[in-house]
Amino acid sequence: MAEIQQVVFGVVQGLASSTVFILALMIGFCVVVGFTKLKKTAGGVMVIKSLDEQVSHKPAEYLKPGDPRGPADQLHSPELLEAAARK
């Protein structure tokens, strides 16, 4: 009976120690990778918003709501302009 108890204790101890090791390894990896993301980039912030910002070290420039969105601007299409002119 004592041998079975010793074997069960050894198995539980082995599983617990390997679980703690894997958990510490994963948490350590996440912390290290997380800290590498928090370096100063453009704009004086500690968060990288895009890969382009990481490479160019310039803040991202966002479009204003009224800016055209390229050659196919759906807000100012001929159909919508014609319908607005009829009203």
Side-chain angles (χ1 to χ4, degrees), residues 53-69:
E53 209 176 83
Q54 171 73 22
V55 173
S56 69
H57 297 288
K58 295 179 185 170
E61 295 180 16
Y62 298 102
L63 295 173
K64 295 176 185 148
D67 287 348
R69 302 287 194 252

Side-chain angles (χ1 to χ4, degrees), residues 5 14 19 27 31 39 42 45 48 65-66 73:
Q5 197 175 22
T19 301
I27 290 172
V31 167
K39 37 188 179 177
V45 294
I48 299 169
D73 190 2

